[in-house]
Amino acid sequence: MPRFTDLGVPAALAQSLAQRGITDPFPIQTATLPDTLAGRDVLGRGRTGSGKTIAFALPVVARLADSKAQRAKARPRALILAPTRELATQIHATVEPLATTAGLTSTTVFGGVAQSRQVSALNAGIDVLVACPGRLEDLIKQGLCSLDAVEITVLDEADHMADLGFLPVVKRLLDRTPRGGQRLLFSATLDNGVDTLVKRYLDRPTTHSVDPEVAPVSTMTHHVLAVADADAKKEVVRELASGTGRRVLFTRTKHQAKKLAKQLTQDGVPAVDLQGNLGQGARERNLAAFTSGEVKVLVATDIAARGIHVDDVELVVHVDPPAEHKAYLHRSGRTARAGSGGDVVTVMLPEQAGDVRDLTRKAKITATPQRVAPGSPVVAALVGEVAAHVAPAPAAAPAQPSRSRGAGSGGSGASGGRGRRGGGAGSRPAAAGSRPAEGGQRAGRAPGAPSARGAGAPAARGAGTASGGGRPARQGGGSSAPAAGGGRGRSDRGRGVPVLGGSMVAWTSGGDAPSTGSYGGRTGAGAQSGGAGRSRGAGQGGEGQGGGRRRRSGRGRSGGGAQQ
């Protein structure tokens, strides 16, 4: 078998691969590298997992390293287009160490994350850009990126781009690259318009076909497990997920993927999900946990099938049979990668028998349905060694309340500042933010409960000592007694506070705080309501000092009580 250097790969790049344990080229690499390294356009047809990424990464890096062109701001020299964020990320993980070895730079561009860092990376000068079509076109329209310096263009998973409706965007992007540049296209099939791309953009391409999409991997074993009902299916899926090796479970919808991962984790089988509703950070964390082996079970949707490249996946489970045979083959391609073995299981309900029969026929898969139930020997054989039960992590403890700023009632009620709740009535003025007097009861909460902002705090505008607050009380005035009820309070600006009369339910940072206590702030004050809402009126208790705006009547916007 030839080695990478025998195929024309520079020794430094071959050494970089060897450091990652890659020493022998796969068939798709052996077939394409002599042509791609010589600068010819190439059409590579190969299955997912056949080694296409290294097959195009090596010539991209090697030819750019030999080129005399210099990198320039926002003008990449090589462009690799991929249909999904996951695939773009994994392509970059392969390209980056090779580029670093050759003294080149690389970055990714895709949606779902802020573009600011991507723009900064482009402005610093990039040699190799790995991008998804949509975000890249957005940046070009904003004048933040140009493709007029691209020397090599690669389209990976072109058939999947067609399935996702990206071909119009891909054509517009290719039209922006210089004519005469090298172009490499890798695809499992040439349907859905991919053949049009080949005819329009590749110049007399050399075609290499390895492991065509319709040919199943010989080391992949297919099983169809027929279950009696949804309850039996749920338990069989849980058993299939409980082994010690890596396994990928596929569902049709994002909601089902999230729900199943959560159910498995609660049942003692740690699992993460990979689906379209996740933010990019969550996607990367979940995929990293699965890749590192921290979590052995990944629950994914079809859109992730083309973006996952993880070695040693021993089992793929079609929890929901896919809608068409191409999706089945791409899902199944997560196992038996690069010549290794693997099992593929389709869990079938009685009403799905016809669809599964058509699916396997079109995929050219031979698998006789087997009736199983939870605990069946067939299921146990597929599971293998059962992993230890892992208790789910306990729910996070609620945040502890911080010390409330201000004085307690009966102590030193203070005014000043822009308080949102009334302070307690005080016998003497005190500086804003002072500690409560000994023995003083904090207003606005029940005894012993977490303090709410404003209870005994630098008090209301125009008032120093109103206990309570809110709009004018319908009966009577304010009182210096502790407020009995909760209420809807407002936190001091920029300061996180727990709220809800007597018990902490949430922390807020500015704005209205949530409350499930008595809603007294709109109608009552003082002891009636616990003083929620804005309290800007004058307080009761001779020496309270007002500091806010006052109306002509001498009271604030909502008087807590008549002045004595």
Side-chain angles (χ1 to χ4, degrees), residues 77-118:
R77 300 169 58 207
L79 172 63
I80 302 173
L81 291 176
T84 66
R85 289 180 274 179
E86 288 77 21
L87 184 55
T89 299
Q90 295 201 7
I91 290 173
H92 186 246
T94 298
V95 170
E96 187 176 32
L98 295 173
T100 301
T101 299
L104 305 177
T105 59
S106 61
T107 193
T108 55
V109 162
F110 44 70
V113 296
Q115 71 176 36
S116 55
R117 290 187 179 180
Q118 299 171 354

mmCIF file of all heavy atoms in Angstrom, residues 77-118:
data_model
loop_
_atom_site.group_PDB
_atom_site.id
_atom_site.type_symbol
_atom_site.label_atom_id
_atom_site.label_comp_id
_atom_site.label_asym_id
_atom_site.label_seq_id
_atom_site.Cartn_x
_atom_site.Cartn_y
_atom_site.Cartn_z
ATOM 1 N N ARG A 77 -7.818 32.692 0.354
ATOM 2 C CA ARG A 77 -7.153 32.117 -0.820
ATOM 3 C C ARG A 77 -7.713 30.751 -1.193
ATOM 4 O O ARG A 77 -7.489 30.267 -2.307
ATOM 5 C CB ARG A 77 -5.661 32.021 -0.549
ATOM 6 C CG ARG A 77 -5.008 33.378 -0.266
ATOM 7 C CD ARG A 77 -3.591 33.195 0.267
ATOM 8 N NE ARG A 77 -2.769 32.436 -0.671
ATOM 9 C CZ ARG A 77 -1.733 31.691 -0.306
ATOM 10 N NH1 ARG A 77 -1.406 31.583 0.982
ATOM 11 N NH2 ARG A 77 -1.025 31.041 -1.213
ATOM 12 N N ALA A 78 -8.377 30.106 -0.277
ATOM 13 C CA ALA A 78 -9.037 28.825 -0.560
ATOM 14 C C ALA A 78 -10.387 28.829 0.139
ATOM 15 O O ALA A 78 -10.523 29.345 1.254
ATOM 16 C CB ALA A 78 -8.195 27.646 -0.079
ATOM 17 N N LEU A 79 -11.373 28.244 -0.515
ATOM 18 C CA LEU A 79 -12.733 28.217 0.023
ATOM 19 C C LEU A 79 -13.234 26.775 0.041
ATOM 20 O O LEU A 79 -13.205 26.080 -0.978
ATOM 21 C CB LEU A 79 -13.661 29.077 -0.841
ATOM 22 C CG LEU A 79 -15.165 28.998 -0.519
ATOM 23 C CD1 LEU A 79 -15.450 29.516 0.885
ATOM 24 C CD2 LEU A 79 -15.978 29.766 -1.562
ATOM 25 N N ILE A 80 -13.677 26.333 1.207
ATOM 26 C CA ILE A 80 -14.292 25.009 1.360
ATOM 27 C C ILE A 80 -15.733 25.227 1.818
ATOM 28 O O ILE A 80 -15.961 25.785 2.896
ATOM 29 C CB ILE A 80 -13.527 24.137 2.378
ATOM 30 C CG1 ILE A 80 -12.068 23.972 1.947
ATOM 31 C CG2 ILE A 80 -14.204 22.780 2.531
ATOM 32 C CD1 ILE A 80 -11.203 23.262 2.991
ATOM 33 N N LEU A 81 -16.693 24.818 1.017
ATOM 34 C CA LEU A 81 -18.108 24.987 1.341
ATOM 35 C C LEU A 81 -18.674 23.685 1.897
ATOM 36 O O LEU A 81 -18.453 22.605 1.332
ATOM 37 C CB LEU A 81 -18.904 25.414 0.110
ATOM 38 C CG LEU A 81 -18.645 26.827 -0.419
ATOM 39 C CD1 LEU A 81 -19.428 27.066 -1.706
ATOM 40 C CD2 LEU A 81 -19.022 27.871 0.628
ATOM 41 N N ALA A 82 -19.423 23.789 2.997
ATOM 42 C CA ALA A 82 -20.044 22.626 3.637
ATOM 43 C C ALA A 82 -21.500 22.961 3.962
ATOM 44 O O ALA A 82 -21.825 24.126 4.205
ATOM 45 C CB ALA A 82 -19.288 22.256 4.916
ATOM 46 N N PRO A 83 -22.383 21.981 3.997
ATOM 47 C CA PRO A 83 -23.806 22.272 4.181
ATOM 48 C C PRO A 83 -24.223 22.578 5.605
ATOM 49 O O PRO A 83 -25.226 23.258 5.820
ATOM 50 C CB PRO A 83 -24.496 20.997 3.675
ATOM 51 C CG PRO A 83 -23.473 19.917 3.863
ATOM 52 C CD PRO A 83 -22.139 20.568 3.642
ATOM 53 N N THR A 84 -23.494 22.089 6.621
ATOM 54 C CA THR A 84 -23.936 22.271 8.005
ATOM 55 C C THR A 84 -22.809 22.806 8.870
ATOM 56 O O THR A 84 -21.628 22.657 8.558
ATOM 57 C CB THR A 84 -24.430 20.940 8.615
ATOM 58 O OG1 THR A 84 -23.320 20.029 8.722
ATOM 59 C CG2 THR A 84 -25.518 20.314 7.762
ATOM 60 N N ARG A 85 -23.198 23.402 9.984
ATOM 61 C CA ARG A 85 -22.226 23.926 10.934
ATOM 62 C C ARG A 85 -21.341 22.821 11.496
ATOM 63 O O ARG A 85 -20.134 22.996 11.681
ATOM 64 C CB ARG A 85 -22.950 24.635 12.083
ATOM 65 C CG ARG A 85 -23.584 25.941 11.698
ATOM 66 C CD ARG A 85 -24.264 26.574 12.882
ATOM 67 N NE ARG A 85 -25.627 26.087 13.050
ATOM 68 C CZ ARG A 85 -26.454 26.463 14.025
ATOM 69 N NH1 ARG A 85 -26.039 27.320 14.932
ATOM 70 N NH2 ARG A 85 -27.670 25.987 14.108
ATOM 71 N N GLU A 86 -21.968 21.679 11.823
ATOM 72 C CA GLU A 86 -21.200 20.578 12.395
ATOM 73 C C GLU A 86 -20.140 20.099 11.420
ATOM 74 O O GLU A 86 -18.987 19.856 11.800
ATOM 75 C CB GLU A 86 -22.141 19.416 12.757
ATOM 76 C CG GLU A 86 -23.018 19.675 13.969
ATOM 77 C CD GLU A 86 -24.196 20.582 13.643
ATOM 78 O OE1 GLU A 86 -24.578 20.695 12.459
ATOM 79 O OE2 GLU A 86 -24.735 21.188 14.569
ATOM 80 N N LEU A 87 -20.518 19.953 10.159
ATOM 81 C CA LEU A 87 -19.548 19.482 9.177
ATOM 82 C C LEU A 87 -18.453 20.517 8.961
ATOM 83 O O LEU A 87 -17.266 20.176 8.862
ATOM 84 C CB LEU A 87 -20.250 19.158 7.865
ATOM 85 C CG LEU A 87 -19.362 18.559 6.764
ATOM 86 C CD1 LEU A 87 -18.644 17.320 7.263
ATOM 87 C CD2 LEU A 87 -20.183 18.246 5.526
ATOM 88 N N ALA A 88 -18.823 21.798 8.906
ATOM 89 C CA ALA A 88 -17.812 22.851 8.743
ATOM 90 C C ALA A 88 -16.819 22.832 9.903
ATOM 91 O O ALA A 88 -15.599 22.969 9.714
ATOM 92 C CB ALA A 88 -18.487 24.218 8.640
ATOM 93 N N THR A 89 -17.333 22.641 11.110
ATOM 94 C CA THR A 89 -16.465 22.608 12.286
ATOM 95 C C THR A 89 -15.500 21.431 12.230
ATOM 96 O O THR A 89 -14.303 21.560 12.535
ATOM 97 C CB THR A 89 -17.314 22.527 13.558
ATOM 98 O OG1 THR A 89 -18.166 23.689 13.638
ATOM 99 C CG2 THR A 89 -16.443 22.478 14.811
ATOM 100 N N GLN A 90 -15.999 20.278 11.800
ATOM 101 C CA GLN A 90 -15.134 19.107 11.772
ATOM 102 C C GLN A 90 -14.142 19.160 10.610
ATOM 103 O O GLN A 90 -13.020 18.663 10.725
ATOM 104 C CB GLN A 90 -15.989 17.849 11.728
ATOM 105 C CG GLN A 90 -16.807 17.682 13.002
ATOM 106 C CD GLN A 90 -17.271 16.271 13.242
ATOM 107 O OE1 GLN A 90 -16.892 15.356 12.522
ATOM 108 N NE2 GLN A 90 -18.081 16.086 14.263
ATOM 109 N N ILE A 91 -14.549 19.746 9.497
ATOM 110 C CA ILE A 91 -13.588 19.953 8.408
ATOM 111 C C ILE A 91 -12.447 20.846 8.875
ATOM 112 O O ILE A 91 -11.266 20.575 8.629
ATOM 113 C CB ILE A 91 -14.281 20.563 7.178
ATOM 114 C CG1 ILE A 91 -15.217 19.541 6.524
ATOM 115 C CG2 ILE A 91 -13.257 21.058 6.158
ATOM 116 C CD1 ILE A 91 -16.064 20.125 5.407
ATOM 117 N N HIS A 92 -12.823 21.914 9.582
ATOM 118 C CA HIS A 92 -11.800 22.832 10.073
ATOM 119 C C HIS A 92 -10.865 22.148 11.064
ATOM 120 O O HIS A 92 -9.654 22.434 11.104
ATOM 121 C CB HIS A 92 -12.450 24.056 10.724
ATOM 122 C CG HIS A 92 -11.478 25.111 11.124
ATOM 123 N ND1 HIS A 92 -11.239 25.445 12.447
ATOM 124 C CD2 HIS A 92 -10.654 25.899 10.384
ATOM 125 C CE1 HIS A 92 -10.327 26.397 12.493
ATOM 126 N NE2 HIS A 92 -9.954 26.690 11.273
ATOM 127 N N ALA A 93 -11.415 21.226 11.864
ATOM 128 C CA ALA A 93 -10.572 20.498 12.815
ATOM 129 C C ALA A 93 -9.527 19.656 12.090
ATOM 130 O O ALA A 93 -8.436 19.405 12.628
ATOM 131 C CB ALA A 93 -11.436 19.607 13.701
ATOM 132 N N THR A 94 -9.829 19.222 10.874
ATOM 133 C CA THR A 94 -8.854 18.472 10.076
ATOM 134 C C THR A 94 -7.884 19.414 9.361
ATOM 135 O O THR A 94 -6.679 19.143 9.285
ATOM 136 C CB THR A 94 -9.577 17.597 9.037
ATOM 137 O OG1 THR A 94 -10.408 16.651 9.720
ATOM 138 C CG2 THR A 94 -8.589 16.852 8.156
ATOM 139 N N VAL A 95 -8.413 20.521 8.853
ATOM 140 C CA VAL A 95 -7.597 21.450 8.067
ATOM 141 C C VAL A 95 -6.620 22.234 8.943
ATOM 142 O O VAL A 95 -5.458 22.450 8.553
ATOM 143 C CB VAL A 95 -8.511 22.426 7.285
ATOM 144 C CG1 VAL A 95 -7.691 23.557 6.663
ATOM 145 C CG2 VAL A 95 -9.296 21.678 6.221
ATOM 146 N N GLU A 96 -7.063 22.664 10.110
ATOM 147 C CA GLU A 96 -6.276 23.600 10.920
ATOM 148 C C GLU A 96 -4.875 23.102 11.258
ATOM 149 O O GLU A 96 -3.885 23.839 11.061
ATOM 150 C CB GLU A 96 -7.040 23.965 12.194
ATOM 151 C CG GLU A 96 -6.365 25.055 12.999
ATOM 152 C CD GLU A 96 -7.191 25.468 14.195
ATOM 153 O OE1 GLU A 96 -7.902 24.609 14.751
ATOM 154 O OE2 GLU A 96 -7.134 26.651 14.570
ATOM 155 N N PRO A 97 -4.695 21.869 11.766
ATOM 156 C CA PRO A 97 -3.315 21.450 12.076
ATOM 157 C C PRO A 97 -2.444 21.339 10.830
ATOM 158 O O PRO A 97 -1.233 21.611 10.890
ATOM 159 C CB PRO A 97 -3.505 20.082 12.760
ATOM 160 C CG PRO A 97 -4.880 19.641 12.396
ATOM 161 C CD PRO A 97 -5.685 20.868 12.213
ATOM 162 N N LEU A 98 -3.024 20.955 9.698
ATOM 163 C CA LEU A 98 -2.245 20.911 8.463
ATOM 164 C C LEU A 98 -1.835 22.316 8.041
ATOM 165 O O LEU A 98 -0.679 22.547 7.642
ATOM 166 C CB LEU A 98 -3.063 20.248 7.358
ATOM 167 C CG LEU A 98 -3.406 18.768 7.550
ATOM 168 C CD1 LEU A 98 -4.372 18.294 6.466
ATOM 169 C CD2 LEU A 98 -2.138 17.913 7.534
ATOM 170 N N ALA A 99 -2.793 23.264 8.129
ATOM 171 C CA ALA A 99 -2.492 24.645 7.763
ATOM 172 C C ALA A 99 -1.425 25.233 8.680
ATOM 173 O O ALA A 99 -0.503 25.927 8.225
ATOM 174 C CB ALA A 99 -3.763 25.488 7.820
ATOM 175 N N THR A 100 -1.528 24.953 9.966
ATOM 176 C CA THR A 100 -0.536 25.465 10.918
ATOM 177 C C THR A 100 0.851 24.927 10.595
ATOM 178 O O THR A 100 1.857 25.655 10.652
ATOM 179 C CB THR A 100 -0.938 25.085 12.352
ATOM 180 O OG1 THR A 100 -2.230 25.629 12.643
ATOM 181 C CG2 THR A 100 0.070 25.610 13.359
ATOM 182 N N THR A 101 0.927 23.648 10.225
ATOM 183 C CA THR A 101 2.209 23.053 9.856
ATOM 184 C C THR A 101 2.839 23.775 8.670
ATOM 185 O O THR A 101 4.060 23.970 8.614
ATOM 186 C CB THR A 101 2.017 21.565 9.520
ATOM 187 O OG1 THR A 101 1.522 20.881 10.671
ATOM 188 C CG2 THR A 101 3.330 20.928 9.079
ATOM 189 N N ALA A 102 1.990 24.210 7.736
ATOM 190 C CA ALA A 102 2.487 24.880 6.533
ATOM 191 C C ALA A 102 2.604 26.390 6.698
ATOM 192 O O ALA A 102 2.921 27.102 5.735
ATOM 193 C CB ALA A 102 1.569 24.562 5.354
ATOM 194 N N GLY A 103 2.327 26.905 7.897
ATOM 195 C CA GLY A 103 2.412 28.343 8.133
ATOM 196 C C GLY A 103 1.233 29.110 7.578
ATOM 197 O O GLY A 103 1.341 30.316 7.308
ATOM 198 N N LEU A 104 0.088 28.453 7.433
ATOM 199 C CA LEU A 104 -1.112 29.093 6.900
ATOM 200 C C LEU A 104 -2.133 29.304 8.009
ATOM 201 O O LEU A 104 -2.029 28.722 9.092
ATOM 202 C CB LEU A 104 -1.726 28.229 5.786
ATOM 203 C CG LEU A 104 -0.805 27.843 4.621
ATOM 204 C CD1 LEU A 104 -1.543 26.937 3.654
ATOM 205 C CD2 LEU A 104 -0.289 29.090 3.904
ATOM 206 N N THR A 105 -3.128 30.123 7.718
ATOM 207 C CA THR A 105 -4.193 30.399 8.683
ATOM 208 C C THR A 105 -5.519 29.889 8.126
ATOM 209 O O THR A 105 -5.707 29.779 6.911
ATOM 210 C CB THR A 105 -4.311 31.899 8.967
ATOM 211 O OG1 THR A 105 -4.586 32.598 7.738
ATOM 212 C CG2 THR A 105 -3.033 32.444 9.579
ATOM 213 N N SER A 106 -6.453 29.602 9.027
ATOM 214 C CA SER A 106 -7.765 29.107 8.616
ATOM 215 C C SER A 106 -8.818 29.547 9.626
ATOM 216 O O SER A 106 -8.497 29.850 10.774
ATOM 217 C CB SER A 106 -7.753 27.575 8.514
ATOM 218 O OG SER A 106 -7.456 26.988 9.777
ATOM 219 N N THR A 107 -10.054 29.571 9.187
ATOM 220 C CA THR A 107 -11.152 29.912 10.082
ATOM 221 C C THR A 107 -12.449 29.368 9.498
ATOM 222 O O THR A 107 -12.477 28.840 8.378
ATOM 223 C CB THR A 107 -11.257 31.434 10.289
ATOM 224 O OG1 THR A 107 -12.138 31.699 11.395
ATOM 225 C CG2 THR A 107 -11.821 32.128 9.057
ATOM 226 N N THR A 108 -13.524 29.493 10.278
ATOM 227 C CA THR A 108 -14.847 29.043 9.847
ATOM 228 C C THR A 108 -15.807 30.216 9.806
ATOM 229 O O THR A 108 -15.666 31.188 10.552
ATOM 230 C CB THR A 108 -15.417 27.974 10.795
ATOM 231 O OG1 THR A 108 -15.421 28.494 12.142
ATOM 232 C CG2 THR A 108 -14.597 26.699 10.752
ATOM 233 N N VAL A 109 -16.800 30.101 8.949
ATOM 234 C CA VAL A 109 -17.878 31.080 8.855
ATOM 235 C C VAL A 109 -19.186 30.313 8.701
ATOM 236 O O VAL A 109 -19.337 29.541 7.749
ATOM 237 C CB VAL A 109 -17.684 32.037 7.651
ATOM 238 C CG1 VAL A 109 -18.983 32.749 7.300
ATOM 239 C CG2 VAL A 109 -16.605 33.063 7.957
ATOM 240 N N PHE A 110 -20.090 30.478 9.652
ATOM 241 C CA PHE A 110 -21.415 29.870 9.548
ATOM 242 C C PHE A 110 -22.380 30.634 10.428
ATOM 243 O O PHE A 110 -21.987 31.450 11.278
ATOM 244 C CB PHE A 110 -21.396 28.384 9.947
ATOM 245 C CG PHE A 110 -20.603 28.066 11.188
ATOM 246 C CD1 PHE A 110 -21.026 28.463 12.442
ATOM 247 C CD2 PHE A 110 -19.420 27.353 11.101
ATOM 248 C CE1 PHE A 110 -20.302 28.160 13.584
ATOM 249 C CE2 PHE A 110 -18.676 27.034 12.222
ATOM 250 C CZ PHE A 110 -19.129 27.440 13.468
ATOM 251 N N GLY A 111 -23.662 30.392 10.233
ATOM 252 C CA GLY A 111 -24.691 31.095 10.976
ATOM 253 C C GLY A 111 -24.894 30.514 12.359
ATOM 254 O O GLY A 111 -24.261 29.550 12.768
ATOM 255 N N GLY A 112 -25.808 31.139 13.112
ATOM 256 C CA GLY A 112 -26.112 30.673 14.460
ATOM 257 C C GLY A 112 -25.235 31.271 15.529
ATOM 258 O O GLY A 112 -25.457 31.028 16.713
ATOM 259 N N VAL A 113 -24.226 32.041 15.141
ATOM 260 C CA VAL A 113 -23.348 32.717 16.094
ATOM 261 C C VAL A 113 -23.142 34.148 15.607
ATOM 262 O O VAL A 113 -23.406 34.479 14.451
ATOM 263 C CB VAL A 113 -21.979 32.005 16.225
ATOM 264 C CG1 VAL A 113 -22.132 30.616 16.804
ATOM 265 C CG2 VAL A 113 -21.293 31.920 14.866
ATOM 266 N N ALA A 114 -22.677 34.991 16.500
ATOM 267 C CA ALA A 114 -22.413 36.382 16.121
ATOM 268 C C ALA A 114 -21.324 36.426 15.053
ATOM 269 O O ALA A 114 -20.367 35.651 15.083
ATOM 270 C CB ALA A 114 -21.986 37.190 17.350
ATOM 271 N N GLN A 115 -21.488 37.341 14.112
ATOM 272 C CA GLN A 115 -20.528 37.406 13.018
ATOM 273 C C GLN A 115 -19.287 38.222 13.362
ATOM 274 O O GLN A 115 -18.320 38.210 12.598
ATOM 275 C CB GLN A 115 -21.185 38.005 11.778
ATOM 276 C CG GLN A 115 -21.479 39.494 11.868
ATOM 277 C CD GLN A 115 -22.035 40.063 10.568
ATOM 278 O OE1 GLN A 115 -22.797 39.409 9.864
ATOM 279 N NE2 GLN A 115 -21.646 41.279 10.255
ATOM 280 N N SER A 116 -19.277 38.895 14.495
ATOM 281 C CA SER A 116 -18.177 39.817 14.799
ATOM 282 C C SER A 116 -16.825 39.110 14.834
ATOM 283 O O SER A 116 -15.841 39.606 14.272
ATOM 284 C CB SER A 116 -18.442 40.526 16.132
ATOM 285 O OG SER A 116 -18.653 39.576 17.175
ATOM 286 N N ARG A 117 -16.741 37.958 15.478
ATOM 287 C CA ARG A 117 -15.461 37.246 15.544
ATOM 288 C C ARG A 117 -15.056 36.736 14.169
ATOM 289 O O ARG A 117 -13.863 36.703 13.833
ATOM 290 C CB ARG A 117 -15.566 36.086 16.531
ATOM 291 C CG ARG A 117 -15.685 36.524 17.988
ATOM 292 C CD ARG A 117 -15.618 35.332 18.920
ATOM 293 N NE ARG A 117 -15.702 35.736 20.318
ATOM 294 C CZ ARG A 117 -15.676 34.895 21.342
ATOM 295 N NH1 ARG A 117 -15.542 33.591 21.116
ATOM 296 N NH2 ARG A 117 -15.770 35.332 22.580
ATOM 297 N N GLN A 118 -16.036 36.309 13.387
ATOM 298 C CA GLN A 118 -15.724 35.840 12.041
ATOM 299 C C GLN A 118 -15.160 36.969 11.193
ATOM 300 O O GLN A 118 -14.193 36.784 10.454
ATOM 301 C CB GLN A 118 -16.988 35.250 11.410
ATOM 302 C CG GLN A 118 -17.535 34.059 12.187
ATOM 303 C CD GLN A 118 -18.898 33.597 11.692
ATOM 304 O OE1 GLN A 118 -19.502 34.225 10.836
ATOM 305 N NE2 GLN A 118 -19.385 32.497 12.245
#
